[in-house]
Amino acid sequence: LPNGEIAFAPATNPVVHIPVIFWSNLPGIFHTNVTVIGEAIDVTLRPSFLWSFGDGQFLITTEVGAPFPKKNITHVYEKPGVYTLTLVATCGGTWVRNGVSRAITGQIRKVSTRTIQITTAQSVFTG
C-alpha cells in the first residue's frame, strides 16, 4: 500500500468556521500481484477510512477524499489551535489463484497522522 499521507486544503492558514478539504494518497481499491512459493496470487484490497480531526469529531467513510474542487471529505473547526489529524485505513479484500477467489482473513491497518493549525479569520471593519 502507498504510505497514506494526509493532505488538506487550504494547505496554509485554514481558519475557523470555514470548511477544510481532506484527502489521502491511499487508493480506493488496491490491486497487486504477488508470488508465494512460486504461485501467482492476485490480491484486491478495499479500504474503509476512519478520520479523526483532532477536535473530538470523527468520520467513517469508504471515500479517500480529493483536492478542490471536490469536497467529499470536509471538516469545520470551531476554535483556533493546533490539532492532530489521524487517518486509520482498514483494508479487507480477496485473493485469487487459478481463477478461484477467496476472502482474505484478517485485516490490514495503516495509521497516518499529521498536524493542522487553525487560525482566526482576520477581519477589518470600516465605518
Side-chain angles (χ1 to χ4, degrees), residues 5 7 9 16 22 25 29 71 74 78 103 106 110 113 125-126:
E5 291 179 11
V16 294
F22 293 93
N25 69 341
I29 296 178
K71 298 178 185 177
T74 63
E78 299 298 324
K110 181 173 276 295
T113 60
F125 293 97
T126 58

Side-chain angles (χ1 to χ4, degrees), residues 2 18 44 46 127:
I18 304 293
T44 302
R46 290 173 189 81

Side-chain angles (χ1 to χ4, degrees), residues 31-107:
H31 299 283
T32 191
N33 183 284
V34 296
T35 301
V36 179
I37 313 172
E39 295 290 329
I41 310 274
D42 292 314
V43 177
T44 302
L45 299 174
R46 290 173 189 81
S48 61
F49 302 97
L50 169 63
W51 290 87
S52 171
F53 297 105
D55 62 352
Q57 299 297 311
F58 299 89
L59 173 68
I60 297 173
T61 183
T62 56
E63 296 282 336
V64 70
F68 185 85
K70 295 189 177 193
K71 298 178 185 177
N72 48 353
I73 298 176
T74 63
H75 183 66
V76 175
Y77 289 89
E78 299 298 324
K79 296 179 183 176
V82 176
Y83 298 92
T84 300
L85 304 165
T86 303
L87 175 62
V88 179
T90 303
C91 300
T94 57
W95 58 272
V96 178
R97 181 179 163 268
N98 294 333
V100 177
S101 179
R102 299 272 195 267
I104 295 174
T105 57
Q107 297 176 333

